[in-house]
Amino acid sequence: MKNSLWKVAIYAVVIITGMLVALPNVLSDRMLAQLPSALPHQRVSLGLDLRGGSHLVLEVDRASLVTEWLQNLQQDVRSTLEKSQITIASLRRTQSAIEVRLTDPAKVQQAISELNGITNQIQAAALTASDLTIEATGADTLRVLPSEAGLTHRMTQAVTQSLEIIRQRVDQVGVAEPTIQRVGGDRVLVQLPGEQDPSNVRALLGSTAKMSFHLLGREGEPGITMMKDAEDRPYPVQNRVLISGDRLTDARVGFDPNTSEPVVSFRFDQAGATRFAEVTRQNVGLPFAIVLDGKVLSAPVIREPITGGSGQISGSFNVQDANTLAALLRAGALPAKLDVIEERTVGADLGSDAIEMGIVAGLGGFALVMLFILALYGSWGLLAVLALALNVILTFAGLTLLGATLTLPGIAGIVLGIGLAVDANVLINERIREESRKGRSAFAAIDLGFNKAYATIIDSNVTALIATALLFWFGSGPVRGFAVTMGLGIAISMFTAVSVVRVAMVAIATRRRLKTIDIKPLLPIRLIKDGTTIDFMKARLAGLGISAFLSIGSIVLLFTHGLNFGVDFKGGIQVEVKTSGPADLAAFRSGLGNLGLGEVALQEFGSNDRLLIRLERQAGPETKQTEAVEKVRSEIRTIDPSASIERTEVVGPKVSDELATAGILSVILASLAMLVYIWVRFEWPFAVGAIATLVLDVTKTVGFFSLTGLDFNLTAIAALLTLVGYSVNDKVVVYDRMRENMRLYKSMPFRDLINLSINETLARSLYTSATAFLAMIPMAIWGGSAVESFAIPMVFGIFVAASSSVFIAAPILLFLGDWRTRRKARKAEVGAEVKAV
């Protein structure tokens, strides 16, 4: 048995290429600049939770889009009918349509025909549809309203235009490496690394920035709207727009030579300059209002005609406000109002702390797993350690090639992936040990060990990948980062832990001319002795009883004590504050409680200079959440000017409802997917046993959340989904051995066969659980608040899943197997009696 040179060469190329791709991630900027241009230079992007910055999700305001469309449509309907000499008795705009009543009922069909000329044909799916619906609603009345296809088309156009305008606005203020992308049909995701001031970001991105120029009139006159400026002074503004802001070509910040205050200078295009000169010439001596999004920026009196095509906006600006206004005007107006429905901000200091904690936890987990493997398998364990190191390197290479973003939960995914990747090596080594005990030669033991372990490795990895795929599908942000890194790690482990290790073991056996393989522990102590014959089924009733008691207790705890839902699921505001000394809880509680924002919860975490502030979801539209967080930030600065806001999370009611639905759905679908997979791969009793056990495992974990008060958020859902995959993974290994033994020992009583299978896989089950446990312990201790809702429940869940495979899944399978056997026996007896008769 020799290694194929072609196979070795291909493996070597893959490994070397992966190392070169991953190399830039560990080099300093100076060293990276010195690399030859032929070598890769791309790095894995760091998420905002690792480098700091702002994350916002903006949604096109459908109501304002419809309102503006109907305003324009009202004018189009009026002018079209007047041109056709069709007399209008009344024309009014409702929330969803334009309603027209004609003086002559005989002209209703003519009016419909004329109004068809203002419709546009759009492509909706594979069909062509009109953007308007025009219908007669009475003898002399008709209605014009946007069609569903038209609304969808307008929303799509609005999002597309908004993407480009937002990108221009962000470019104007010079944010490096921004992420701006469409999410769904009506949302835009914006991530701005390094941007720490969410109020500035919200002003930059949430403003429609529709500027217009109006004359002032008198309050109470027709065609007058009362508007206010930044200081709440009222102005009677004429509705008629004299010049629109879309005629602007440039806007710059300058300083008034007399007052030294910031001002914004603007310039029109040629047509705008001509119109501006005409308007100012005709209205010398009258006040002229400059309006932005319904607010008066300034209302200077026109002293003389302005013919140069430029002007100046002055007001109560600071430099920051002036720069933002200039950037908005240069980029142009959004086609529709955008509401900030989700906002998350992480300070740069907290991001650097997260990187440090992630590295420490990752190295700690790797070191613990490495020592455990070496203790179990001695010198042969070095191959598993090598495979783990390659797994991490190739995972980083994969993330780099995919252009993925590494988050703190993503680091947790890599760490957990290390623990799960060892599973394949444990399975292989234990199988090789079994074959060696049977007297197989070195090459035969390697060949049979890998072949017999391969199917089990595939089954266990597929169940884990199902969970990570659903996590990616339903998750968002950092949780998706976790799914990507863990999924990559599991997939790559099939190469590193199986293919590479096999080639290495064959090479060692060939070079050393080994007759047999003896995989010995580093110390002459084995945690699980060979040939154990524990009667696990003897304790089946006790195991089921204890499990049922704990699960029922968890459900009772869930209904009586509830879960500590994070802002992901219940909406609201969460602010993490760091003070220069011990936080004055009384001062914070008093100051924030007087803001009128509902119940305010405060708690210290980590140390007495770190404070977590939570506010309930605010009533009203999505914008109420972001307005409330500004009040909180301002009050924090008032209470303790030295305090720094490390992290803010603002989730509106719509987003929280969607996340909660997606989270529940993902867990249910993952469980069903496991059921189907095991049913196909094994038989229905195996599937029923696995799912019944899975339900018990999940209820206990949810009870653990309720008991400990840990945040139940998106990260918690990631923990549940991971545990779903891990729990079924553990059962699959035992099931696979049962299926193998059922073919070998056809006459063995089912109870004895189950006991035999559990004893044969006991070492693997305990060792794999131990490696996953050791990998997660440092993350649970040092990972920080960002991953505690994942790492701590995972440590608990690993223990629960390992014990349930033996004391719950197996007894359920024994009961179902005995029931099937008795049922077949009864059918056979009935058949015999029928024949006898």
Side-chain angles (χ1 to χ4, degrees):
M1 180 181 181
K2 291 184 178 181
N3 287 319
S4 166
L5 290 178
W6 281 107
K7 184 187 293 185
V8 173
I10 291 172
Y11 290 178
V13 168
V14 171
I15 292 170
I16 292 171
T17 302
M19 287 180 171
L20 290 175
V21 172
L23 180 63
N25 293 291
V26 296
L27 297 179
S28 65
D29 291 338
R30 184 177 60 82
M31 294 174 68
L32 186 62
Q34 292 174 354
L35 279 182
S37 59
L39 293 179
H41 283 67
Q42 185 178 353
R43 288 172 169 167
V44 175
S45 299
L46 296 180
L48 296 184
D49 56 348
L50 294 179
R51 58 175 168 171
S54 293
H55 162 110
L56 295 97
V57 177
L58 304 105
E59 183 179 65
V60 174
D61 188 326
R62 185 185 179 100
S64 67
L65 184 74
V66 172
T67 298
E68 184 170 347
W69 189 2
L70 290 175
Q71 286 176 344
N72 296 331
L73 189 59
Q74 186 175 13
Q75 298 300 321
D76 291 343
V77 169
R78 185 186 300 277
S79 60
T80 299
L81 294 180
E82 287 177 350
K83 285 180 182 178
S84 303
Q85 298 182 349
I86 299 174
T87 308
I88 301 171
S90 66
L91 187 150
R92 71 187 188 95
R93 172 168 53 87
T94 66
Q95 287 187 344
S96 59
I98 305 298
E99 295 183 351
V100 185
R101 187 167 64 86
L102 305 180
T103 56
D104 185 357
K107 292 191 175 182
V108 167
Q109 291 303 318
Q110 181 189 350
I112 292 175
S113 177
E114 294 292 341
L115 290 174
N116 278 328
I118 65 174
T119 64
N120 294 305
Q121 297 301 307
I122 57 175
Q123 197 71 26
L127 303 174
T128 300
S130 174
D131 65 341
L132 297 175
T133 299
I134 304 171
E135 56 190 11
T137 55
D140 60 350
T141 59
L142 56 91
R143 183 171 61 176
V144 183
L145 70 159
S147 66
E148 193 59 39
L151 283 171
T152 302
H153 181 68
R154 283 273 174 140
M155 290 290 283
T156 300
Q157 280 190 323
V159 174
T160 303
Q161 293 172 23
S162 298
L163 279 171
E164 185 55 37
I165 291 171
I166 288 172
R167 190 170 285 112
Q168 291 177 24
R169 291 183 181 182
V170 171
D171 289 344
Q172 296 288 348
V173 295
V175 176
E177 300 180 22
T179 298
I180 304 168
Q181 63 188 43
R182 182 174 185 159
V183 180
D186 58 354
R187 293 179 184 174
V188 177
L189 167 68
V190 181
Q191 291 186 335
L192 305 176
E195 180 57 60
Q196 308 300 321
D197 187 357
S199 59
N200 181 45
V201 175
R202 205 180 305 113
L204 182 68
L205 303 181
S207 300
T208 310
K210 291 193 174 181
M211 193 168 79
S212 52
F213 298 82
H214 307 251
L215 289 176
L216 296 185
R218 293 181 180 178
E219 185 176 354
E221 289 182 347
I224 294 293
T225 299
M226 295 303 297
M227 297 182 185
K228 294 183 178 181
D229 62 8
E231 298 179 2
D232 277 344
R233 289 177 297 200
Y235 293 86
V237 178
Q238 292 185 8
N239 292 341
R240 183 188 174 198
V241 177
L242 296 178
I243 308 174
S244 173
D246 57 11
R247 290 295 181 185
L248 292 176
T249 58
D250 193 18
R252 299 288 168 185
V253 177
F255 292 90
D256 190 307
N258 299 319
T259 64
S260 298
E261 291 182 348
V263 295
V264 177
S265 301
F266 58 85
R267 178 171 294 279
F268 289 105
D269 61 15
Q270 185 173 354
T274 302
R275 175 63 179 158
F276 194 51
E278 179 183 345
V279 168
T280 53
R281 186 180 299 111
Q282 294 173 353
N283 296 283
V284 171
L286 297 178
F288 193 53
I290 304 172
V291 177
L292 181 74
D293 292 344
K295 280 190 174 290
V296 176
L297 293 178
S298 65
V301 174
I302 302 172
R303 302 297 181 191
E304 58 186 12
I306 304 172
T307 57
S310 62
Q312 191 179 86
I313 305 171
S314 60
S316 302
F317 295 138
N318 56 34
V319 175
Q320 179 82 34
D321 293 338
N323 279 321
T324 299
L325 176 59
L328 290 172
L329 297 181
R330 285 196 301 272
L334 290 169
K337 181 184 176 186
L338 295 178
D339 292 329
V340 179
I341 59 172
E342 182 181 354
E343 174 189 308
R344 302 178 194 267
T345 304
V346 178
D349 291 340
L350 187 62
S352 61
D353 290 345
I355 293 175
E356 184 178 343
M357 288 188 298
I359 293 173
V360 169
L363 292 176
F366 186 88
L368 289 176
V369 172
M370 180 183 71
L371 292 173
F372 186 72
I373 290 297
L374 291 176
L376 284 180
Y377 302 122
S379 57
W380 288 103
L382 287 172
L383 290 179
V385 173
L386 173 65
L388 287 181
L390 286 176
N391 182 280
V392 174
I393 292 170
L394 294 181
T395 298
F396 270 94
L399 292 172
T400 304
L401 291 173
L402 290 173
T405 300
L406 182 64
T407 61
L408 189 55
I411 295 176
I414 294 175
V415 173
L416 182 60
I418 290 171
L420 296 181
V422 176
D423 180 40
N425 293 113
V426 171
L427 279 169
I428 291 165
N429 285 335
E430 292 300 319
R431 280 290 194 174
I432 292 174
R433 268 180 173 166
E434 286 182 27
E435 299 304 322
S436 295
R437 286 199 303 269
K438 294 176 184 177
R440 310 281 190 192
S441 66
F443 292 117
I446 292 173
D447 191 45
L448 288 170
F450 274 92
N451 290 342
K452 288 184 175 181
Y454 191 71
T456 307
I457 293 170
I458 290 290
D459 283 334
S460 60
N461 282 346
V462 166
T463 55
L465 286 172
I466 288 172
T468 53
L470 287 168
L471 194 58
F472 180 82
W473 186 264
F474 289 101
S476 62
V479 176
R480 275 195 165 189
F482 166 81
V484 170
T485 54
M486 187 173 166
L488 266 178
I490 292 172
I492 291 170
S493 72
M494 292 295 296
F495 171 69
T496 57
V498 180
S499 302
V500 173
V501 170
R502 181 168 187 160
V503 167
M505 290 188 83
V506 170
I508 291 171
T510 302
R511 184 176 182 82
R512 295 186 178 181
R513 299 180 180 178
L514 298 178
K515 300 296 182 184
T516 59
I517 283 188
D518 188 10
I519 301 178
K520 294 180 179 180
L522 190 63
L523 299 174
I525 301 171
R526 284 214 64 184
L527 299 178
I528 304 298
K529 293 182 180 180
D530 295 333
T532 57
T533 56
I534 302 171
D535 188 358
F536 289 103
M537 292 303 96
K538 190 175 182 179
R540 66 187 184 281
L541 296 179
L544 287 170
I546 294 172
S547 176
F549 173 78
L550 291 175
S551 290
I552 292 171
S554 296
I555 294 171
V556 171
L557 194 63
L558 178 63
F559 281 101
T560 56
H561 189 263
L563 293 170
N564 182 24
F565 287 106
V567 294
D568 290 336
F569 291 154
K570 67 178 181 181
I573 300 164
Q574 183 167 292
V575 182
E576 192 174 318
V577 180
K578 183 177 181 182
T579 56
S580 55
D584 187 346
L585 289 176
F588 277 99
R589 186 172 287 111
S590 174
L592 295 172
N594 292 330
L595 294 177
L597 300 175
E599 183 181 351
V600 179
L602 291 90
Q603 69 180 76
E604 291 181 352
F605 71 101
S607 60
N608 60 7
D609 63 344
R610 286 189 176 273
L611 188 65
L612 189 66
I613 303 169
R614 288 183 176 175
L615 281 80
E616 62 187 40
R617 187 164 70 181
Q618 303 297 301
E622 305 283 351
T623 52
K624 289 293 182 182
Q625 316 302 320
T626 50
E627 291 172 7
V629 78
E630 274 310 299
K631 293 181 180 179
V632 172
R633 294 174 70 94
S634 176
E635 185 63 25
I636 290 171
R637 286 190 287 266
T638 301
I639 296 169
D640 186 351
S642 65
S644 60
I645 297 174
E646 301 279 84
R647 183 198 302 269
T648 62
E649 294 185 46
V650 183
V651 179
K654 183 182 291 187
V655 173
S656 62
D657 291 344
E658 291 172 358
L659 292 176
T661 302
I664 294 169
L665 189 61
S666 61
V667 174
I668 293 173
L669 287 178
S671 302
L672 292 175
M674 305 295 175
L675 173 67
V676 172
Y677 183 79
I678 295 177
W679 200 320
V680 170
R681 289 288 292 145
F682 299 91
E683 295 180 38
W684 70 265
F686 291 88
V688 172
I691 293 303
T693 311
L694 187 61
V695 171
L696 295 172
D697 289 351
V698 170
T699 53
K700 292 185 189 72
T701 308
V702 172
F704 179 79
F705 273 104
S706 181
L707 182 65
T708 58
L710 286 169
D711 268 7
F712 195 80
N713 48 27
L714 279 177
T715 311
I717 291 294
L720 283 180
L721 277 173
T722 306
L723 282 172
V724 165
Y726 181 82
S727 178
V728 175
N729 173 313
D730 206 56
K731 277 83 182 154
V732 162
V733 174
V734 180
Y735 284 174
D736 194 72
R737 184 57 67 96
M738 288 181 187
R739 181 173 57 180
E740 182 181 331
N741 286 335
M742 286 170 71
R743 290 194 292 263
L744 292 174
Y745 311 107
K746 295 182 179 179
S747 60
M748 180 181 289
F750 197 41
R751 171 174 170 157
D752 295 341
L753 188 141
I754 289 176
N755 273 325
L756 173 66
S757 301
I758 293 174
N759 277 288
E760 288 179 341
T761 57
L762 185 60
R764 174 268 163 199
S765 296
L766 291 181
Y767 296 163
T768 301
S769 298
T771 54
F773 181 85
L774 291 172
M776 291 310 300
I777 277 289
M779 186 63 69
I781 296 173
W782 297 308
S785 60
V787 292
E788 67 177 7
S789 293
F790 173 82
I792 296 175
M794 276 301 301
V795 170
F796 170 80
I798 289 166
F799 171 77
V800 169
S803 59
S804 67
S805 299
V806 175
F807 297 108
I808 303 172
I812 291 174
L813 189 60
L814 175 60
F815 169 77
L816 292 173
D818 286 346
W819 173 77
R820 278 211 310 171
T821 303
R822 290 194 298 270
R823 187 181 179 193
K824 286 180 180 179
R826 283 198 301 271
K827 284 185 176 181
E829 289 175 3
V830 171
E833 289 175 2
V834 170
K835 287 182 180 179
V837 172

